[in-house]
Amino acid sequence: MSFSALQKAYSDHSRVWELNHWVYPVISRRAGGLSIGINLNLDKSCSFRCAYCQVDRTIPGKSLALDLNLLEQEILSLIEEYKKNGLTGFSNFKEIAEEKRLIRDICLSGDGESTLVPEFKEVCQLMLKIQKQFREYPLQLTLITNATHLQFPKVREGLSLLTSFRGEIWGKLDAGTDAWFRQINGSSMSLEVIQNNLEMTVKDFPMQIQTMLCKIGENFPSQVEIDAYLKRLEKIYYAGKENFKGVQLYGVVRQTALDTVSALPKDFLENVAEQIRNSLPVCVNVF
Ligand code: SF4
């Protein structure tokens, strides 16, 4: 397998797989292998408008009611296909080394915010059922979330199911100040809501923090911004250090919907990672 084949597979996060509506396979750097992705937001609904989002919202999404039975069938058929052929039929996957194709997780990550979907709890229940059904695979259940709705009781019931065996919440914290928060996440809500939700969540459930570091036009996070971010991270860590599983810093590697967004040098990310490691005893990964 060539390096470029792996890079190509990492950057292929197309959510269209054969005739599926909600389920797609992806080689994920963060999961360290093959991830079964679930996109609950075919209509592209999201409570953020991140500057770096890859979803092009100038093209309307599909309006299709979620069918839990069909969703289950889509997940099962993907796992069956994996068992039979290791998904070698999928466009980029045949060039990928077998160890990179090992199935790692089922992940709620789509063209919007999964927790906005009314059936969120039922989807978590279904994921747990499938995780139990395929005990031969060490499947982790993962929710990637922007944390805007983690305070709602029905969402928390879903989180409880999702994390009851081997599951994690990957919550977004991209800013330390409201000013950068508004620029990077395009939200009019207060950053304090996100902070409270992340603190409340890490008290009860295993969680990692995901942070995007990028340039927007000529702007990028100043040291004042990074210091404010570190303070927020510290508060989250001390709200539930047993459940705090680490920090993922990531930069722009794929095409973003806005062309004003660009990548920062890898050194910048490594420097922020070092500052986090110097202030907290946590695992920090740079992607
Ligand atoms: S939270 Fe995710 S889906 Fe929503 S705008 Fe941001 S990057 Fe896009």
Side-chain angles (χ1 to χ4, degrees), residues 11-129:
S11 63
D12 183 1
H13 278 217
S14 158
R15 309 205 203 283
V16 180
W17 189 69
E18 297 195 339
L19 297 174
N20 283 358
H21 296 296
W22 298 281
V23 177
Y24 60 98
V26 63
I27 299 288
S28 159
R29 286 180 299 169
R30 292 175 206 101
L34 178 64
S35 175
I36 296 179
I38 303 178
N39 175 18
L40 296 180
N41 308 97
L42 301 184
D43 60 357
K44 305 183 181 176
S45 58
C46 192
S47 40
F48 272 1
R49 282 290 177 275
C50 299
Y52 58 82
C53 191
Q54 296 146 39
V55 179
D56 182 356
R57 290 190 169 75
T58 59
I59 302 166
K62 273 198 269 182
S63 75
L64 178 71
L66 180 61
D67 179 331
L68 286 166
N69 290 325
L70 201 48
L71 173 63
E72 180 171 6
Q73 278 172 36
E74 288 188 3
I75 300 173
L76 293 179
S77 67
L78 199 56
I79 297 178
E80 286 309 323
E81 175 65 21
Y82 172 79
K83 278 168 91 168
K84 266 197 289 173
N85 303 317
L87 293 179
T88 46
F90 184 63
S91 58
N92 288 336
F93 287 19
K94 39 173 115 40
E95 300 167 47
I96 302 303
E98 222 155 287
E99 71 273 12
K100 296 282 179 203
R101 267 193 268 139
L102 288 182
I103 195 162
R104 298 282 182 206
D105 77 352
I106 307 179
C107 179
L108 281 168
S109 165
D111 288 343
E113 173 53 34
S114 306
T115 60
L116 296 181
V117 174
E119 301 88 348
F120 174 75
K121 179 187 158 186
E122 288 71 23
V123 172
C124 293
Q125 178 93 61
L126 172 64
M127 289 166 74
L128 181 62
K129 179 179 143 191

Side-chain angles (χ1 to χ4, degrees), residues 25 34-35 70 81 91 116 130 144 154 166 185 196 213-214 217 221 227 234 257:
L34 178 64
S35 175
L70 201 48
E81 175 65 21
S91 58
L116 296 181
I130 291 174
I144 299 184
K154 200 166 172 207
R166 187 188 296 119
N185 297 128
N196 291 340
L213 293 164
C214 63
D227 288 343
E234 234 171 82

Side-chain angles (χ1 to χ4, degrees), residues 126-175:
L126 172 64
M127 289 166 74
L128 181 62
K129 179 179 143 191
I130 291 174
Q131 186 190 44
K132 285 184 179 158
Q133 196 175 331
F134 292 94
R135 282 189 193 278
E136 69 265 40
Y137 301 121
L139 284 174
Q140 174 172 296
L141 304 183
T142 310
L143 164 70
I144 299 184
T145 175
N146 64 19
T148 53
H149 283 59
L150 297 181
Q151 74 277 40
F152 293 111
K154 200 166 172 207
V155 171
R156 298 188 76 74
E157 286 171 32
L159 302 184
S160 181
L161 292 164
L162 189 98
T163 57
S164 61
F165 175 52
R166 187 188 296 119
E168 276 186 10
I169 296 147
W170 295 0
K172 191 188 287 301
L173 179 69
D174 289 338

Side-chain angles (χ1 to χ4, degrees), residues 99-276:
E99 71 273 12
K100 296 282 179 203
R101 267 193 268 139
L102 288 182
I103 195 162
R104 298 282 182 206
D105 77 352
I106 307 179
C107 179
L108 281 168
S109 165
D111 288 343
E113 173 53 34
S114 306
T115 60
L116 296 181
V117 174
E119 301 88 348
F120 174 75
K121 179 187 158 186
E122 288 71 23
V123 172
C124 293
Q125 178 93 61
L126 172 64
M127 289 166 74
L128 181 62
K129 179 179 143 191
I130 291 174
Q131 186 190 44
K132 285 184 179 158
Q133 196 175 331
F134 292 94
R135 282 189 193 278
E136 69 265 40
Y137 301 121
L139 284 174
Q140 174 172 296
L141 304 183
T142 310
L143 164 70
I144 299 184
T145 175
N146 64 19
T148 53
H149 283 59
L150 297 181
Q151 74 277 40
F152 293 111
K154 200 166 172 207
V155 171
R156 298 188 76 74
E157 286 171 32
L159 302 184
S160 181
L161 292 164
L162 189 98
T163 57
S164 61
F165 175 52
R166 187 188 296 119
E168 276 186 10
I169 296 147
W170 295 0
K172 191 188 287 301
L173 179 69
D174 289 338
T177 65
D178 272 297
W180 185 244
F181 173 60
R182 277 193 295 278
Q183 272 199 67
I184 191 160
N185 297 128
S187 171
S188 56
M189 64 171 45
S190 162
L191 183 51
E192 227 30 52
V193 175
I194 305 300
Q195 176 82 31
N196 291 340
N197 284 354
L198 291 171
E199 285 180 29
M200 180 198 277
T201 302
V202 79
K203 274 186 188 133
D204 295 332
F205 309 110
M207 190 177 85
Q208 296 203 40
I209 293 291
Q210 282 199 320
T211 301
M212 163 60 86
L213 293 164
C214 63
K215 256 179 109 175
I216 307 172
E218 288 309 307
N219 299 332
F220 60 92
S222 64
Q223 190 54 47
V224 172
E225 172 59 39
I226 300 294
D227 288 343
Y229 164 78
L230 288 173
K231 280 203 182 99
R232 292 192 177 278
L233 211 51
E234 234 171 82
K235 278 188 74 196
I236 297 165
Y237 172 77
Y238 286 109
K241 52 185 177 181
E242 293 75 23
N243 280 330
F244 194 105
K245 301 297 174 197
V247 180
Q248 303 169 7
L249 295 183
Y250 62 114
V252 175
V253 288
R254 290 187 287 275
Q255 180 68 45
T256 59
L258 288 184
D259 55 15
T260 49
V261 173
S262 56
L264 285 163
K266 190 84 188 270
D267 285 358
F268 187 97
L269 276 72
E270 294 291 356
N271 178 280
V272 175
E274 209 43 40
Q275 294 188 56
I276 298 170

